Amino acid sequence: MSIPAATLMTALRSGHSTSPRLTWYGPDSERVELSGRVLDNWVAKTSNLLQDELDAEPGMAVRLDLPAHWKSFVWALAAWQLGMEVVFDETPADLLVTDKPDGAGAGFDAVVAVPLAALAMRWPGELPSGVVDYAAEVRSHGDVFMAHNEPEAELPAVRGASALSHEALIEGFASAQEPGVRLLVRAADGLESCLSASLGAWKGDGSVVLVHPDLEVTEHLLENERVSRP
């Protein structure tokens, strides 16, 4: 596959694959660190879930009704790798991925519920009929993604504040960052903005420290994570 998202995933799992690429700080002292190899593993499993279980294809649209979080980053990368359009606004889409699944099924071919707790093995409680439990299903899917249909670069990739094709995803959507940056990304800025910043860091062989809105960004955190300074 030649679309930029697929090229990015190849780079993340190949060069310095055991180095941290995405570190998440969440509530209740939650810290999750994903190397390039582990991030690619999660993305591959999610792409396979989309393709094999939800019949997703290049050109289809998925709405990410999720906060900025390491799991929402996985979903965006998985959808882009498959050649899908990621929708950040309230406009129509084929699939819905959400952490608020109650009453959310109208107008979508499928709904996926994503529990945000790091160690969640399934959705906590009952799900509406037909809603897919991401935590319970994703681990059964393959660690390597092979697309059934190769996506075309001209297909739409982003719908929200920006509207861009896959061809323009990295050059047009990713914000400029210093090569090799260890970038602090504040989840309070919203998913679309956080993904733009993170793609820019990964494009330059850097990494990301994503921090939940309720957490204070202390000097200790910045020093411990070796966050790049201006």
Side-chain angles (χ1 to χ4, degrees), residues 140 168 196 201 220:
S140 66
S196 172
H220 175 73

Side-chain angles (χ1 to χ4, degrees), residues 10-39:
T10 299
L12 289 176
R13 68 174 171 264
S14 302
H16 308 292
S17 63
T18 59
S19 300
R21 292 295 188 172
L22 175 58
T23 304
W24 161 253
Y25 277 83
D28 303 319
S29 301
E30 185 177 274
R31 182 183 182 277
V32 176
E33 183 169 279
L34 284 73
S35 67
R37 183 179 301 162
V38 173
L39 178 57

Side-chain angles (χ1 to χ4, degrees), residues 5-208:
T7 302
L8 174 64
M9 295 315 303
T10 299
L12 289 176
R13 68 174 171 264
S14 302
H16 308 292
S17 63
T18 59
S19 300
R21 292 295 188 172
L22 175 58
T23 304
W24 161 253
Y25 277 83
D28 303 319
S29 301
E30 185 177 274
R31 182 183 182 277
V32 176
E33 183 169 279
L34 284 73
S35 67
R37 183 179 301 162
V38 173
L39 178 57
D40 177 68
N41 182 265
W42 274 96
V43 171
K45 285 179 175 292
T46 305
S47 292
N48 283 321
L49 184 152
L50 277 164
Q51 180 173 256
D52 299 336
E53 187 167 335
L54 302 177
D55 298 324
E57 297 179 345
M60 293 177 65
V62 55
R63 183 192 296 174
L64 296 188
D65 178 30
L66 295 168
H69 185 278
W70 71 268
K71 291 184 182 179
S72 52
F73 278 28
V74 166
W75 268 97
L77 291 168
W80 282 327
Q81 178 174 244
L82 186 55
M84 300 180 72
E85 181 181 24
V86 173
V87 179
F88 296 105
D89 56 23
E90 299 297 317
T91 54
D94 301 291
L95 309 176
L96 173 66
V97 179
T98 181
D99 62 331
K100 303 177 290 292
D102 289 339
F108 299 96
D109 295 340
V111 177
V112 181
V114 179
L116 298 181
L119 300 179
M121 299 298 290
R122 61 184 62 256
W123 183 262
E126 295 294 324
L127 280 172
S129 177
V131 173
V132 176
D133 185 342
Y134 174 67
E137 297 295 333
V138 68
R139 288 174 174 82
S140 66
H141 290 272
D143 297 342
V144 176
F145 174 66
M146 299 292 290
H148 295 169
N149 300 295
E150 185 168 339
E152 298 177 359
E154 296 78 15
L155 289 171
V158 177
R159 192 196 317 165
S162 305
L164 296 167
S165 68
H166 280 276
E167 186 176 32
L169 179 65
I170 301 300
E171 297 301 328
F173 181 65
S175 60
Q177 308 293 344
E178 291 293 323
V181 68
R182 178 73 166 155
L183 183 68
L184 176 69
V185 178
R186 299 175 187 268
D189 292 340
L191 179 55
E192 185 172 358
S193 176
C194 289
L195 279 166
S196 172
S198 300
L199 284 177
W202 293 326
K203 172 190 173 186
D205 200 30
S207 60
V208 171

